[in-house]
Amino acid sequence: MQSFSNGYADSIVEPTFIRVVLRLRPLIGEAAKLSYVEDGFGSLSLQDFPQVAGKATFFTDANDTNKFRFNRVYDVDVGQQEICEDIIGDNVTELLEGFNVSIMTFGSEGSGKTYTMFGNDREEGIVQRMCQSLFDQLDRLRQDRGNESTVSITFYELFAENIYDLLSIEKHSNILKTSSVAKTSGLSIKGLRTVSVNSVNELLSCINEGQFRRCKSGSHHRKSRSSSFLNITVEQRNRTEETMKHSVLQLIDLASSNKLDKNLKHGISTDEIKSANSSMQNLHQMIYELSDSKSPLPKTHNSKHSHRTSRLTKLLQQAIGGDSKTTAVMLSSTNRTDRENTVTTLSLGSKLKSIYNFPTQNKMGLNSKAIFDLSLKNMTTRENSYLTRIKYLEDEVSRLSSTIQQNKNQVLTNQYLTEKNMKLKDQLGLQRKSEQTRKAGSEKDGLHSQSNEKTQNEMSDVLDNLMRKCEKVIQLQLRLDEELRQKSQISQQLSYKESKVQALEAMNVKLLEQLDNNEHEMKNVLNTNSILRKEVEKWMQLAESRSQNVEMLQKEFQDRQIAGASQNNLLFLPGELNHVRDASKNKKGNWLFGNSSSNILGSRKISNVSTGSVMTINSQESNTSKASHRGLNLHAVRLPFGDENENYNDKNKSSNT
């Protein structure tokens, strides 16, 4: 069973955007070329684009509505080798550092996705070049650092929301069952075959086998509507550093993005067409939702909900908005007849470029000290990351506060204008009443026509001025309403940012407490280690002094034997004495730490020592004797007959008396 999730992580890095590059396909035949301009800095501007109901159907970036921005644009004259080398870049190095890496191709049908990813018989693609680079660097690490590595591979395709194993042993692949992982919202595939490889030839052989099965699985439209997922898992062990790294390389060839018409014959059923269109539509919706989310915090509720819409989005959880360092290769046609699909591809590429990913290093220690060191290092990294975010949020809070203050000043100004507007309205009403009164009076009094005309002209001028001022006041009132609405939105954002700052501060305090506890524990471990080292040195000195005493006593005893009697009367034969000396030397260094009884300072026995024909000496030291006097019991040795023996008996008698 193969499980795909965000995995485990022992360290955290700053969130990064997905790297998006664009490759333009050359024209085939005499087709009309789409008019575009590439500025050399990753931006592409279309000169002609489709419109539906008078509205452009493309992504809008600020005021430049027909410009699409990428990390890099490869024009039609850029070759396959240069593109593959630039896309691969440092991805293999980051993969071997323990980061998950994802590379995926996206585009409409016939744009060159599979050619860019897998190449053809004449030219290799990203997959072949990256596999070769991977094993080259693994060999270099094995020679330089002594790393031990294992590489395994899984290869499957997704068609109409059904998963098929491309490395299955069976002749015909069956639909694999899946289940959701509740903890990570990932997808677990049951029965997926995992193959371990030891060389680049074995790896490429498995990939070619899977590609052959994929090409023979059905019609051309079925192949173009299926997405292939090639997952290469790398595990590394370093015995010197006592660390282990685990990383996954995802090479994804996504299905064509253009929508199939179910009324046309494509060699696949209507239900499969409907499922394929729905799956791609869910992917587009997920990309737009994640790009609209500007929060740099990982694994929010919205991102998890966006990945739950289909199996395709769940399988892309690690690559889009997950813990992987992702490179998206957008492939587009330059044919004018494909401009609608081209605009769709460019729009999604621009959206992908604004999505956050949160790559983590999957590195762990093999013993307690390595684990503690890595945890301490990662806690420092996390602390620095949180401090950076807190500083960013504090700056944003100060900026929003200044904006609110400016809005307050504008509100005061607008209030003044509103009051002035009311006064002008009152004046206008009075003028209208006055005019009506004058008209009535002129009719009654029969004023001259010239004076009436002059008065009317003056009144009309006053009315025009008042109307113009009223229009300005109305515009100011509308502006005031808009600014009040913006103020409300900014206040909500400010409260949200303040809550995040408080949460981060609480998390930072908790991390600092954990760091203090770990430092205190480390000090205790070092003190205990120092005490144990002193004890070991003490016991080693004691063992060395005992060994020296034993050697000195053996040498003295041998000298007495040689000087007192002939070889026939010796207590030990020469060979036996050498045997005893060798045995004592062998026990010299390991008597303290060898396989002894439970009481290290217990008694020792010397047995089976023969003199002449048959002699047995079995003596045991007294438990009350000091540790520094233990060794050979000279009182248990029988001296040879002769003058020295007699002298010994005389001394013994005198001592007894």
Side-chain angles (χ1 to χ4, degrees):
M1 181 178 66
Q2 182 74 15
S3 178
F4 299 94
S5 63
N6 288 338
Y8 66 90
D10 293 307
S11 62
I12 187 170
V13 297
E14 289 297 324
T16 58
F17 289 106
I18 295 177
R19 181 173 182 257
V20 183
V21 298
L22 174 65
R23 183 180 187 182
L24 299 175
R25 179 183 176 181
L27 288 175
I28 300 177
E30 298 179 355
K33 184 179 180 181
L34 185 68
S35 179
Y36 63 90
V37 175
E38 197 270 318
D39 61 358
F41 298 98
S43 297
L44 183 76
S45 299
L46 294 180
Q47 303 302 314
D48 52 353
F49 41 85
Q51 292 188 354
V52 177
K55 296 182 179 180
T57 60
F58 49 79
F59 170 68
T60 300
D61 186 3
N63 295 325
D64 207 352
T65 55
N66 64 334
K67 179 177 285 189
F68 305 90
R69 292 179 172 85
F70 305 92
N71 294 100
R72 185 170 178 181
V73 177
Y74 304 105
D75 212 337
V76 294
D77 56 346
V78 182
Q80 174 88 338
Q81 181 177 357
E82 180 180 352
I83 293 175
C84 292
E85 290 178 355
D86 181 69
I87 291 173
I88 293 172
D90 297 332
N91 282 329
V92 176
T93 303
E94 292 173 345
L95 177 71
L96 297 181
E97 287 296 327
F99 293 96
N100 294 330
V101 175
S102 299
I103 299 177
M104 60 181 181
T105 56
F106 186 93
S108 58
E109 184 176 358
S111 59
K113 302 184 302 299
T114 305
Y115 168 69
T116 302
M117 183 63 72
F118 294 96
N120 54 22
D121 297 336
R122 300 183 303 275
E123 201 164 12
E124 295 180 342
I126 295 175
V127 172
Q128 292 82 1
R129 299 173 192 270
M130 197 155 192
C131 292
Q132 185 64 51
S133 178
L134 171 62
F135 274 91
D136 290 343
Q137 295 197 31
L138 284 176
D139 293 339
R140 191 178 302 113
L141 290 175
R142 183 173 61 253
Q143 295 174 2
D144 297 342
R145 303 181 184 178
N147 284 11
E148 301 175 0
S149 60
T150 58
V151 181
S152 59
I153 175 179
T154 59
F155 197 12
Y156 61 95
E157 71 170 340
L158 176 72
F159 172 68
E161 290 296 297
N162 293 324
I163 297 177
Y164 302 89
D165 190 359
L166 296 177
L167 298 180
S168 175
I169 301 177
E170 300 178 359
K171 186 175 181 181
H172 299 286
S173 299
N174 298 322
I175 299 176
L176 300 181
K177 296 182 179 180
T178 61
S179 60
S180 298
V181 181
K183 185 177 180 180
T184 60
S185 300
L187 191 66
S188 176
I189 304 175
K190 300 179 180 179
L192 185 64
R193 184 189 177 198
T194 302
V195 181
S196 298
V197 294
N198 298 318
S199 64
V200 65
N201 292 331
E202 294 182 6
L203 178 58
L204 294 178
S205 177
C206 293
I207 294 173
N208 293 334
E209 177 185 350
Q211 275 292 98
F212 179 78
R213 175 172 290 189
R214 183 188 179 196
C215 294
K216 297 297 181 181
S217 58
S219 63
H220 168 73
H221 290 285
R222 185 190 186 282
K223 178 185 174 183
S224 66
R225 297 297 154 178
S226 69
S227 301
S228 67
F229 291 80
L230 174 61
N231 296 327
I232 302 175
T233 304
V234 182
E235 292 185 357
Q236 304 174 78
R237 290 177 179 266
N238 190 309
R239 301 294 182 181
T240 304
E241 300 177 358
E242 296 185 338
T243 57
M244 184 178 71
K245 298 176 184 177
H246 178 277
S247 54
V248 178
L249 170 63
Q250 271 193 331
L251 299 172
I252 307 168
D253 182 17
L254 288 174
S256 300
S257 59
N258 53 310
K259 188 176 181 180
L260 282 178
D261 188 357
K262 61 182 180 180
N263 296 324
L264 301 178
K265 295 182 179 180
H266 300 287
I268 52 180
S269 64
T270 305
D271 293 337
E272 290 176 338
I273 293 175
K274 183 178 179 181
S275 180
N277 290 337
S278 176
S279 178
M280 191 55 59
Q281 184 179 0
N282 290 330
L283 174 59
H284 292 189
Q285 184 67 25
M286 180 193 73
I287 292 174
Y288 276 84
E289 289 180 359
L290 293 179
S291 64
D292 292 337
S293 176
K294 303 299 182 182
S295 174
L297 298 178
K299 301 178 183 179
T300 59
H301 175 74
N302 292 333
S303 64
K304 287 185 178 181
H305 179 72
S306 301
H307 288 92
R308 294 173 181 170
T309 54
S310 65
R311 287 183 178 175
L312 178 60
T313 54
K314 288 183 179 180
L315 292 174
L316 293 173
Q317 182 175 353
Q318 177 177 307
I320 303 177
D323 63 350
S324 176
K325 292 193 174 184
T326 302
T327 301
V329 185
M330 313 301 294
L331 294 113
S332 175
S333 172
T334 56
N335 194 338
R336 183 174 296 179
T337 58
D338 297 332
R339 57 185 181 179
E340 292 186 6
N341 295 328
T342 299
V343 169
T344 301
T345 302
L346 298 179
S347 302
L348 287 173
S350 299
K351 289 291 186 180
L352 274 173
K353 190 175 180 294
S354 61
I355 294 178
Y356 282 105
N357 270 16
F358 307 90
T360 54
Q361 187 179 22
N362 303 320
K363 182 179 180 180
M364 60 186 302
L366 298 178
N367 58 15
S368 58
K369 184 178 183 302
I371 293 173
F372 182 79
D373 292 340
L374 288 174
S375 300
L376 190 62
K377 181 180 178 182
N378 295 333
M379 286 182 65
T380 304
T381 305
R382 287 175 183 270
E383 182 182 2
N384 295 333
S385 176
Y386 286 126
L387 290 175
T388 303
R389 293 182 186 178
I390 290 173
K391 182 65 170 60
Y392 170 77
L393 292 175
E394 288 177 350
D395 295 340
E396 190 171 359
V397 167
S398 62
R399 183 179 61 82
L400 291 175
S401 300
S402 62
T403 304
I404 290 174
Q405 185 63 33
Q406 293 177 1
N407 290 334
K408 288 181 179 179
N409 297 332
Q410 292 179 357
V411 167
L412 294 175
T413 304
N414 293 331
Q415 289 178 354
Y416 170 75
L417 294 175
T418 303
E419 293 176 356
K420 190 174 181 179
N421 185 22
M422 295 298 296
K423 292 180 180 180
L424 291 174
K425 285 183 178 179
D426 294 338
Q427 291 178 4
L428 180 61
L430 293 174
Q431 291 290 342
R432 286 179 178 176
K433 290 180 180 180
S434 176
E435 182 182 1
Q436 292 175 0
T437 304
R438 288 179 181 181
K439 285 182 179 180
S442 63
E443 291 177 356
K444 292 179 180 180
D445 298 337
L447 297 175
H448 299 289
S449 60
Q450 293 180 354
S451 60
N452 289 336
E453 184 178 359
K454 183 178 180 181
T455 304
Q456 290 178 359
N457 292 332
E458 291 177 355
M459 293 299 299
S460 63
D461 293 338
V462 171
L463 289 174
D464 292 338
N465 292 330
L466 289 175
M467 290 301 295
R468 285 194 296 269
K469 291 182 179 180
C470 288
E471 289 178 356
K472 291 181 180 180
V473 170
I474 292 172
Q475 292 178 358
L476 291 174
Q477 185 66 36
L478 293 174
R479 182 180 175 185
L480 175 62
D481 296 338
E482 179 65 22
E483 289 179 351
L484 289 175
R485 186 183 64 81
Q486 293 179 357
K487 176 189 173 183
S488 176
Q489 293 179 353
I490 292 173
S491 300
Q492 293 178 358
Q493 293 179 1
L494 181 60
S495 61
Y496 174 69
K497 297 294 183 181
E498 289 177 352
S499 63
K500 288 199 295 185
V501 169
Q502 293 175 358
L504 290 174
E505 288 178 352
M507 189 179 298
N508 188 24
V509 171
K510 185 176 179 181
L511 289 173
L512 290 175
E513 292 177 355
Q514 293 179 358
L515 181 61
D516 293 337
N517 294 333
N518 289 334
E519 288 180 353
H520 181 68
E521 184 179 356
M522 188 63 181
K523 289 180 181 178
N524 293 335
V525 171
L526 292 175
N527 292 333
T528 306
N529 190 17
S530 177
I531 294 172
L532 291 175
R533 187 182 294 108
K534 291 179 180 179
E535 290 291 333
V536 170
E537 291 177 354
K538 177 181 176 182
W539 286 111
M540 291 298 293
Q541 292 176 0
L542 181 60
E544 186 177 357
S545 67
R546 286 191 175 187
S547 300
Q548 292 176 357
N549 291 335
V550 170
E551 289 180 357
M552 185 171 61
L553 290 174
Q554 287 178 351
K555 184 176 181 182
E556 183 179 356
F557 180 71
Q558 183 179 6
D559 293 340
R560 288 187 179 184
Q561 281 185 331
I562 294 174
S566 61
Q567 187 173 0
N568 294 330
N569 295 327
L570 289 177
L571 180 61
F572 292 103
L573 294 177
E576 295 175 349
L577 188 59
N578 293 332
H579 177 70
V580 173
R581 188 184 300 111
D582 295 337
S584 65
K585 289 182 179 180
N586 291 331
K587 294 181 180 180
K588 175 181 177 181
N590 58 358
W591 69 272
L592 178 61
F593 304 100
N595 296 326
S596 61
S597 63
S598 61
N599 187 5
I600 298 177
L601 300 178
S603 61
R604 293 183 296 151
K605 295 182 180 181
I606 303 175
S607 61
N608 297 331
V609 179
S610 62
T611 75
S613 59
V614 177
M615 182 182 297
T616 303
I617 299 174
N618 186 6
S619 64
Q620 182 174 1
E621 291 183 351
S622 175
N623 291 329
T624 61
S625 60
K626 296 182 179 180
S628 61
H629 293 164
R630 287 176 185 168
L632 291 176
N633 190 356
L634 298 179
H635 296 288
V637 179
R638 182 177 298 171
L639 295 174
F641 297 98
D643 296 335
E644 292 182 1
N645 193 13
E646 293 175 359
N647 295 332
Y648 174 80
N649 293 330
D650 294 338
K651 291 180 180 179
N652 192 14
K653 290 178 181 181
S654 62
S655 64
N656 292 330
T657 58

